[in-house]
Amino acid sequence: VGMSTIPEIIIAAKYNMKTLAFSLITNTVKKDGSNDTNHQEVLAVLNDQKTKDKIKNIIHDFLITL
């Protein structure tokens, strides 16, 4: 989860930068790892119009609360 998010936030905090991060879970793997995923599956989720609309709405709703 958030493969590079935490290290980037740590470095930004070191330089007193304000940060905001969003993580999107595109797939889950069973505890036994029997349903490994691949890059194409992740991209398929990200390129799906329903996913794009959901992300857009979540970010929009968040931003109007600021």
Side-chain angles (χ1 to χ4, degrees), residues 17-60:
M17 297 172 68
K18 293 181 179 180
T19 57
L20 172 67
F22 289 94
S23 292
L24 174 66
I25 299 170
T26 56
N27 59 306
T28 58
V29 178
K30 293 179 183 177
K31 288 182 181 181
D32 65 3
S34 64
N35 63 327
D36 289 343
T37 189
N38 61 53
H39 193 61
Q40 271 58 37
E41 290 175 353
V42 172
L43 289 177
V45 172
L46 292 174
N47 289 324
D48 180 72
Q49 190 59 48
K50 286 175 70 175
T51 302
K52 290 178 182 182
D53 291 342
K54 285 180 182 180
I55 294 169
K56 184 177 90 174
N57 290 335
I58 290 168
I59 293 172
H60 175 267

